[in-house]
Amino acid sequence: MLEGEVLYSRYAHDRASVTIASMTDNDRGQVAATAAEVYEEFFLPALFDQWPEQVLDAAEAGRGDRVLDIGCGTGVLARAAQRRAGEVGQVVGLDPNEGMLAVARHADPSIQWEMGVAENIPHDEGSFERVVSQFALMFFVDRDAAVAEMARVLARRGTAAIATWASLEETPGYAAMVSLLGRLFGEQAARALEAPYVLGDPQELHGLLSSAFPDVDVTRHEGVARFDSIDAWVHTDIRGWTLANQMDDDQFELLLREAREELHRFTDAEGRVSFPAPALIATARLSGSGS
């Protein structure tokens, strides 16, 4: 993952012929349908399933709410929001990646899944009581524009809740994986795994959201990354992310061999992987919480 525009793209693409040395599309974060399926099956239990309820609690989401999930991916947060909103509510999931949306539609066809970008949300002003986003803000092409759009579509007395990962330094497993990718394949490959952590400073996140929201609060939450094994970890990160079509079989096997040695310190006696993976959750409102 990389900085800013790195992983969140306006454009669909076909990356079948791209090599690890040429990562233009990878930088913009598009994943093919097969990678999206791996993402749903493996990344959710490893990293993302622990966060939706915390994000929705921060947004004060409940029955009957109109909820917009921006950068919804395969829809784990939107599905949790649907359970809260119930049949009387409405949930919309927005994402620029057709591969992700295809998996989301299959998982829950009752939700309104839409292709689109955060910088140009296709809904009217004040359309949603709750605007949420889980680990996507880091990848928006124009973060200031995206935050302004979040504020525009939020109802006056509504609440937005946005989650980002804490810093890479606070996430030791991924810091080690980034270092390994850099050593084996170079800076571009390493940057592809760094991008989720570029908004890990609470003050920076607060400042970004304050450009559009007068009432912002950022809190740090503890999390844990868990994988069944080193092999499962590597498979998830490579096959379920933007490097999926950038690494050939020989490179993948080399990474596996090196990871089994270099990342062994993150395993327990049974070979299961775990390490801290904290996050920041920002709550934002258009008026003071007491208004």
Side-chain angles (χ1 to χ4, degrees):
M1 313 173 181
L2 349 171
E3 51 280 284
E5 67 180 279
V6 183
L7 294 176
Y8 191 91
S9 172
R10 297 174 186 274
Y11 305 107
H13 65 90
D14 178 0
R15 299 176 304 144
S17 62
V18 181
T19 67
I20 196 167
S22 175
M23 306 178 72
T24 302
D25 288 327
N26 167 62
D27 288 355
R28 295 185 174 91
Q30 293 288 344
V31 299
T34 52
E37 290 163 1
V38 173
Y39 181 99
E40 172 77 10
E41 183 176 357
F42 295 99
F43 261 129
L44 264 58
L47 283 171
F48 298 122
D49 274 348
Q50 62 194 301
W51 297 108
E53 296 304 327
Q54 297 186 64
V55 172
L56 294 171
D57 283 347
E60 302 175 331
R63 182 170 175 78
D65 280 342
R66 295 167 295 165
V67 183
L68 174 64
D69 178 9
I70 304 174
C72 64
T74 61
V76 61
L77 180 56
R79 295 195 296 268
Q82 182 67 67
R83 291 191 290 271
R84 289 201 182 198
E87 294 182 358
V88 294
Q90 178 193 19
V91 177
V92 176
L94 182 75
D95 200 275
N97 192 300
E98 181 54 41
M100 291 290 195
L101 290 173
V103 174
R105 291 187 190 102
H106 179 75
D108 190 339
S110 71
I111 292 172
Q112 185 175 329
W113 306 107
E114 298 179 350
M115 179 176 283
V117 296
E119 298 85 353
N120 187 21
I121 297 172
H123 289 275
D124 293 336
E125 181 176 346
S127 294
F128 299 94
E129 286 94 11
R130 315 297 166 194
V131 172
V132 295
S133 185
Q134 178 172 296
F135 308 119
L137 179 60
M138 307 86 79
F139 308 133
F140 297 162
V141 175
D142 185 336
R143 294 175 194 149
D144 288 326
V147 169
E149 280 289 272
M150 291 179 185
R152 182 184 66 81
V153 300
L154 183 66
R156 185 66 191 168
R157 296 186 181 277
T159 307
I162 298 96
T164 68
W165 294 115
S167 69
L168 185 61
E169 292 73 23
E170 298 174 86
T171 315
Y174 275 111
M177 183 70 86
V178 165
S179 178
L180 178 58
L181 282 169
R183 178 170 66 80
L184 294 177
F185 305 119
E187 181 182 353
Q188 284 184 314
R191 288 205 336 253
L193 209 61
E194 286 179 339
Y197 305 100
V198 299
L199 284 179
D201 182 333
Q203 291 185 336
E204 182 178 357
L205 180 58
H206 187 281
L208 174 61
L209 293 170
S210 294
S211 65
F213 294 93
D215 182 4
V216 178
D217 181 57
V218 178
T219 57
R220 186 181 184 278
H221 299 254
E222 301 303 324
V224 179
R226 293 185 175 88
F227 299 91
D228 289 341
S229 65
I230 293 287
D231 286 19
W233 180 10
V234 172
H235 174 80
T236 302
D237 277 334
I238 302 305
R239 301 307 192 205
W241 193 241
T242 57
L243 287 174
N245 290 336
Q246 316 305 320
M247 187 174 293
D248 64 30
D249 290 344
D250 289 340
Q251 291 168 323
F252 184 78
E253 289 302 320
L254 171 62
L255 177 60
L256 269 180
R257 290 195 301 272
E258 294 293 322
R260 289 165 185 158
E261 295 293 327
E262 193 161 323
L263 305 181
H264 179 73
R265 64 187 183 276
F266 299 108
T267 63
D268 62 17
E270 283 74 42
R272 294 187 295 265
V273 173
S274 66
F275 52 85
L280 306 176
I281 299 179
T283 302
R285 298 180 177 87
L286 296 173
S287 58
S289 57
S291 302

